[in-house]
Amino acid sequence: MSHSHPTSVNPDRLLETFLALLGIDSPSGEESAVIQELARRLEALGLETEVDSAGNLIGRLEGAGEPLLLCAHVDHVDPCRGIRPVVQDGVVRSDGTTILGADDTSGVAIILELLAIARERAHRGQEVPALDVVFTVSEETGLKGSKGLDISRLRARHGIVLDMGGPRGYITVQGPSHDHLEIVIHGKKSHAACAPEEGVNAIRVAAEAIAAMPLGRIDEATTANIGVIQGGTATNVVPDRVELKGEARSLEEERLRRQVDAMLRCLEEAAGRHGARIEAHVQRKYDAFRVPEDAPIVQMLCRSLRELGVEPTLIPTVGGSDSNIFNARGVQTVNISTGMEHVHSTDEYIALDDMVFCASVIAHMLKL
Ligand SMILES: [Zn+2]
């Protein structure tokens, strides 16, 4: 027996799994067909499965060692109906009319490949690792699946989400807190020509407030945006209502709080100058996380990467993923690149070699 653990990722099988899954439409909220197919596959691979009340599929593989969580989401962003993947020179793309869905079916396919390798080992009478597999639904519409997941169904206390793009060896160990803002500016309606002095122009208040707001990249950890503005009915009416939607994110909780306060203060000040009233709803989407460099899951992944000749890079992300939710609930979780690129666009693509590499890193780590 070799002292290293030669990985036995099967690129053809991995590609076949990936393409087969892309053939099942799975827009957010309509994942039951793909969940059913995945449950069938997990059971065939020797896992015990359950679909929880949120619609997530949970699979358990009995085995040796501390259980590891492997997670990917099954839903796709639009346009994602009737995906027709095209494979050329080792790269998979859509036919240009839809997204590809490598986000995050590449993660799902890689997990199935790892389980297929484990199955082969079990058939040879060799030890397999204990794994908790979670395929989440509606990740793209606000992490709904992972938020609805009953974490007590899991044995694992640490794990890997496979839901990032970027180069080989990138490990996302830090993610932001995210606040969603919905604002209504209440002014006073009047006729714009007969009685303009009786009106309070909510559009003017919005304009002054937004012009004064710190927006965009606030610092290296913090961003903010006003993304939607709606208001007004006619040119001869002083508008009494404007609705704004925006967001702020930061890796640092304190900076996020200060940023949201600054945005609300600009609104209050502008409203105060004109006699308008502000109605503000701030909703926390998810909490920041930071997995320390010396955490076992980070150390194990780094060792595996180095043994495969790739120097690991620990990075923060500005985006939210299921790893925010797992970390908030005490399951220490990093997010790694499957190789997906240009996600959420019809230019999305993935190289089979990068998927194979991602699978190999985890297979090597698990001594498969
Ligand atoms: Zn994703």
Side-chain angles (χ1 to χ4, degrees):
M1 202 178 143
S2 162
H3 50 270
S4 70
H5 298 273
T7 57
S8 38
V9 174
N10 180 331
D12 294 334
R13 181 174 58 191
L14 175 53
L15 180 62
E16 194 183 295
T17 303
F18 182 52
L19 297 179
L21 294 175
L22 291 179
I24 306 170
D25 286 350
S26 60
S28 303
E30 297 174 46
E31 302 97 339
S32 57
V34 77
I35 287 290
Q36 219 168 31
E37 168 64 14
L38 289 168
R40 192 188 66 70
R41 286 178 182 246
L42 289 189
E43 279 158 28
L45 290 164
L47 282 80
E48 189 188 294
T49 67
E50 68 178 285
V51 176
D52 71 8
S53 57
N56 306 298
L57 175 61
I58 303 169
R60 269 176 223 92
L61 183 68
E62 298 303 332
E66 199 189 329
L68 178 80
L69 166 71
L70 294 175
C71 173
H73 67 86
V74 303
D75 60 314
H76 297 149
V77 295
D78 282 324
C80 63
R81 289 170 206 271
I83 295 168
R84 283 179 297 271
V86 178
V87 188
Q88 199 177 19
D89 303 324
V91 176
V92 190
R93 303 171 195 277
S94 76
D95 66 358
T97 64
T98 66
I99 55 123
L100 172 62
D103 179 10
D104 187 24
T105 298
S106 60
V108 176
I110 289 166
I111 292 171
L112 289 174
E113 175 61 22
L114 293 165
L115 294 171
I117 301 168
R119 186 67 170 169
E120 291 170 345
R121 280 184 63 90
H123 279 155
R124 291 195 301 264
Q126 293 168 304
E127 203 168 65
V128 297
L131 296 173
D132 283 345
V133 171
V134 177
F135 292 136
T136 55
V137 295
S138 297
E139 190 272 351
E140 300 285 7
T141 46
L143 315 179
K144 284 183 198 146
S146 55
K147 284 181 180 175
L149 180 75
D150 178 358
I151 219 88
S152 72
R153 305 304 300 159
L154 306 183
R155 301 165 298 173
R157 304 322 297 161
H158 67 182
I160 303 170
V161 171
L162 294 84
D163 186 22
M164 288 294 289
R168 294 178 182 191
Y170 274 48
I171 307 173
T172 301
V173 293
Q174 202 183 357
S177 289
H178 178 158
D179 279 344
H180 173 80
L181 283 76
E182 294 198 10
I183 311 293
V184 184
I185 301 168
H186 296 279
K188 185 159 175 277
K189 195 178 275 184
S190 72
H191 194 285
C194 302
E197 45 285 288
E198 285 174 22
V200 175
N201 190 322
I203 290 179
R204 172 153 209 127
V205 173
E208 289 183 11
I210 295 168
M213 264 181 212
L215 293 173
R217 189 170 299 286
I218 307 301
D219 57 48
E220 73 286 355
T222 313
T223 57
N225 188 46
I226 296 291
V228 177
I229 178 165
Q230 282 171 318
T233 53
T235 60
N236 62 354
V237 178
V238 174
D240 67 340
R241 183 185 175 94
V242 168
E243 296 178 21
L244 307 176
K245 289 182 188 170
E247 63 159 58
R249 307 183 192 204
S250 184
L251 298 172
E252 309 288 343
E253 194 59 43
E254 174 58 22
R255 292 188 195 185
L256 178 60
R257 195 186 57 73
R258 259 187 282 142
Q259 172 60 26
V260 171
D261 285 351
M263 293 167 84
L264 296 178
R265 203 177 321 116
C266 291
L267 286 155
E268 289 296 348
E269 284 171 4
R273 284 194 294 275
H274 297 279
R277 183 171 63 82
I278 302 297
E279 184 188 332
H281 298 280
V282 180
Q283 191 195 358
R284 174 55 55 95
K285 288 289 186 187
Y286 45 79
D287 294 321
F289 72 92
R290 174 181 230 141
V291 181
E293 199 174 335
D294 60 1
I297 186 64
V298 178
Q299 288 299 308
M300 290 190 301
L301 270 172
C302 287
R303 193 177 318 125
S304 180
L305 279 162
R306 289 199 179 98
E307 284 171 6
L308 295 178
V310 171
E311 192 50 34
T313 309
L314 307 184
I315 56 159
T317 178
V318 294
S321 79
D322 288 334
S323 48
N324 288 73
I325 306 302
F326 286 115
N327 281 296
R329 295 186 183 167
V331 182
Q332 206 163 47
T333 307
V334 298
N335 196 341
I336 65 171
S337 173
T338 67
M340 60 173 97
E341 293 296 339
H342 293 182
V343 299
H344 297 197
S345 86
T346 54
D347 295 329
E348 185 184 3
Y349 69 89
I350 192 164
L352 178 59
D353 274 355
D354 288 337
M355 288 176 69
V356 170
F357 179 79
C358 179
S360 301
V361 171
I362 301 174
H364 188 66
M365 186 186 110
L366 291 172
K367 307 193 187 327
L368 282 173

